[in-house]
Amino acid sequence: VQTCALPILLLEHFILIPSLITPVTSSIKKYNKTALRATYQVVSEPEPLKKFSVIIVTFNEPLLNKTVDNVLENTPAHLLKEVVIIDDQSTIPVAGWENDSRVRIIRSKTNLGLINARILGGNEAHGDFLAFIDAHVFVSPRWLNTPYRFLMED
């Protein structure tokens, strides 16, 4: 039995293989769909994309709103699982994204400091990959495309 790594689509009068359309000839017509499927291995659908959790630690950061809005605007939806904001005991608790399911706010019980707050964010994240950014930065469009490509390489 011969196997083929290319996906094969069976239509009434054609066998479609990427870059090659072969009309069905009389010698192939004698095979039914079951026989053709037994001869060739059909490749399954590609894996779903893995997504990022973007983790932002804040302590009384005046630019946090602009940073979060910028991340939500410039991160492709197919790569963004969530934005996790760790409020490290700011004087005024962080609020403002209660109606956006992509944003979660976690307020620490004590002031943890940057590194421990990032560890908390990493432990609370649901994404496949973690991206840590400061609370006062702006990201460019498609900023996660290159890291995603490198992470998906074998």
Side-chain angles (χ1 to χ4, degrees), residues 54 56 68 71-72 80-85 102-104:
V54 178
I56 303 171
V68 173
V71 168
L72 293 173
L80 182 65
K81 176 75 171 182
E82 63 186 344
V83 175
V84 179
I85 301 170
R102 300 172 295 173
V103 179
R104 290 194 302 134

Side-chain angles (χ1 to χ4, degrees), residues 1 25 45 47 55 78 80 89 91 96 111 121 124 128 134 139:
V1 173
T25 63
E45 290 291 318
E47 294 278 328
I55 301 163
H78 67 277
L80 182 65
Q89 286 292 304
T91 307
N111 186 282
E124 293 291 327
D128 302 298
D134 290 337
V139 297

Side-chain angles (χ1 to χ4, degrees), residues 57 94 103 111 133:
V57 175
V94 172
V103 179
N111 186 282
I133 64 170

Side-chain angles (χ1 to χ4, degrees), residues 105-122:
I105 300 169
I106 300 170
R107 184 167 170 85
S108 61
K109 295 178 182 176
T110 61
N111 186 282
L112 300 172
L114 178 63
I115 300 304
N116 287 325
R118 284 185 173 181
I119 292 170
L120 172 64

